[in-house]
Amino acid sequence: MAAIGSIVGSGGLIVMDEDNCMVDIAKFFLKFTVDESCGKCTPCRIGTKRLLELLEKITDGKGTLEDLDKLEELCYYIKANALCGLGQTAPNPVLSTLRYFRDEYVAHVVEKRCPAGVCKHLLRFVVDKDKCIGCGMCMRNCPASAISKTDYIATGHKLPSVEIDPNKCVKCGVCMDNCRFKAISKQ
Ligand code: SF4
Ligand code: SF4
Ligand code: SF4
């Protein structure tokens, strides 16, 4: 396990699939270590906070390729200089996800896309006009009034349809859950 960058820990095993965002997972574990850090040494007390900020910047869609280098550099610094096991292992989730799922990090910073469809700031809800029948159920349930009917005659579609204003949408997913025709998807 050490060879692949892992430790036994408390003996738990978590199984994940393509619906888990690896950047988000790294953020989850970092939040735990930031909370647990006793604050005695600077690399762990301040370093893990800076790591978390960088991860948040990436999941907010504001990250750059340079941030990935900064992440890695900071991880190795913390591992080498933290006083105890907590700080020395805190960067492991970042390093191992960067090592095995770098393509996901790159999708977040270059394409501004979360391949797993988890990071809210990078999500876009879209209506498939060929599946939509214009029933209006999504529109009635949208808490942000972000959905409106389209002029289907003008757009050349046979059936009425709706469209989502990305500037108003708060990415709650209610519309997708309410569409019985599976006409809304997140990208
Ligand atoms: S590495 Fe250990 S000693 Fe240093 S702040 Fe973190 S928990 Fe405290
Ligand atoms: S609920 Fe589905 S079918 Fe009905 S208007 Fe919305 S997207 Fe179209
Ligand atoms: S995701 Fe939520 S806010 Fe956005 S259009 Fe759908 S229901 Fe409205």
Side-chain angles (χ1 to χ4, degrees), residues 6 11-12 35 46 67 101 105 114 117 120-121 131 145 156 168:
S6 187
D35 286 346
I46 309 285
D67 288 328
F101 301 96
Y105 280 87
C114 173
K120 234 179 165 186
H121 289 276
K131 289 184 181 168
S145 304
K168 289 186 183 169

Side-chain angles (χ1 to χ4, degrees), residues 139 142-148 163-170:
M139 221 167 81
C142 173
S145 304
I147 307 176
S148 56
E163 60 191 358
I164 296 171
D165 182 344
N167 298 318
K168 289 186 183 169
C169 175
V170 295

